[in-house]
Amino acid sequence: RIKANSMKLILGDEASFYVDVQYGLGTEEQAIRMAKRMEEYNIGWLEEPTNPDDYEGYARIGQATSIPIAMGENLHTIYEHELAMKLARIKRPIGDCSNVCGITGFLKVADLAEKYSVEVHSHGMQELHANVLGAVENRGMVEFHSFPIYKYTVDPLVVKDGYLETCKAPGTGCGF
């Protein structure tokens, strides 16, 4: 177990820490207990603590903790995203172009998130999502996957002066 003040020493003042448990916290009650224990660590969000189909459970988890609840990578329609924001009251929607009907579907999720006054974040495919998030006002975080997606990109993302520089070529920046 790491003490909260140790976490700050490890990460520093400029870093953020996010937790994605892939609905591994079991029951709603277990998720609430774990979230309460994590509050002292200044977590940026708790992603998919339980089954993402349990919208009412997510709302109760979110109400029981100060940590924002995130979800979305396992949602496939704009209607599911709306249920997540309306019923589950998630504060960190995470869209994925490959799951939510492409770029158009992702942009609809971003519009919906704006309606709920929250930022939209992305799941994986960072080369594509960096460009898509760049097109919306309420953009949030770009998730980077650890697998070597750069092998399939025309011009891999580069961090320059704290910002992502995206592909300058036409299209999504991905090729096979």
Side-chain angles (χ1 to χ4, degrees):
R1 178 176 156 122
I2 299 173
K3 291 186 155 206
N5 58 358
S6 299
M7 187 69 84
K8 186 174 181 179
L9 291 174
I10 292 168
L11 296 176
D13 290 330
E14 298 298 316
S16 300
F17 187 64
Y18 300 83
V19 176
D20 181 355
V21 293
Q22 297 287 321
Y23 34 98
L25 294 183
T27 67
E28 178 184 322
E29 294 77 21
Q30 291 169 314
I32 289 170
R33 264 196 319 275
M34 182 58 82
K36 296 297 260 176
R37 291 178 67 191
M38 290 190 296
E39 284 178 342
E40 68 180 288
Y41 299 107
N42 196 27
I43 305 296
W45 71 49
L46 176 60
E47 185 176 342
E48 294 189 339
T50 60
N51 184 330
D53 294 329
D54 183 8
Y55 300 112
E56 290 86 3
Y58 269 59
R60 289 187 291 272
I61 295 166
Q63 289 170 333
T65 181
S66 60
I67 301 171
I69 304 301
M71 73 181 300
E73 69 185 68
N74 288 299
L75 303 179
H76 296 91
T77 68
I78 189 65
Y79 308 108
E80 290 173 318
H81 280 275
E82 184 165 23
L83 288 172
M85 287 180 243
K86 183 178 182 178
L87 296 180
R89 296 184 219 135
I90 61 161
K91 303 292 185 227
R92 305 296 188 264
I94 301 172
D96 185 328
C97 287
S98 67
N99 289 342
V100 71
C101 303
I103 293 170
T104 301
F106 187 97
L107 293 174
K108 287 180 181 180
V109 172
D111 286 344
L112 185 61
E114 189 168 32
K115 176 180 163 187
Y116 283 89
S117 302
V118 295
E119 293 178 331
V120 65
H121 307 274
S122 70
H123 170 256
M125 295 173 45
Q126 61 266 15
E127 310 295 339
L128 168 62
H129 284 117
N131 285 299
V132 176
L133 280 172
V136 300
E137 292 294 321
N138 60 329
R139 63 186 154 270
M141 306 287 246
V142 175
E143 179 184 53
F144 272 72
H145 274 171
S146 57
F147 57 85
I149 194 169
Y150 61 86
K151 291 181 179 181
Y152 307 102
T153 59
V154 176
D155 191 8
L157 287 176
V158 174
V159 178
K160 184 175 180 184
D161 299 324
Y163 293 92
L164 290 175
E165 289 210 353
T166 59
C167 180
K168 305 294 185 263
T172 64
C174 300
F176 298 98

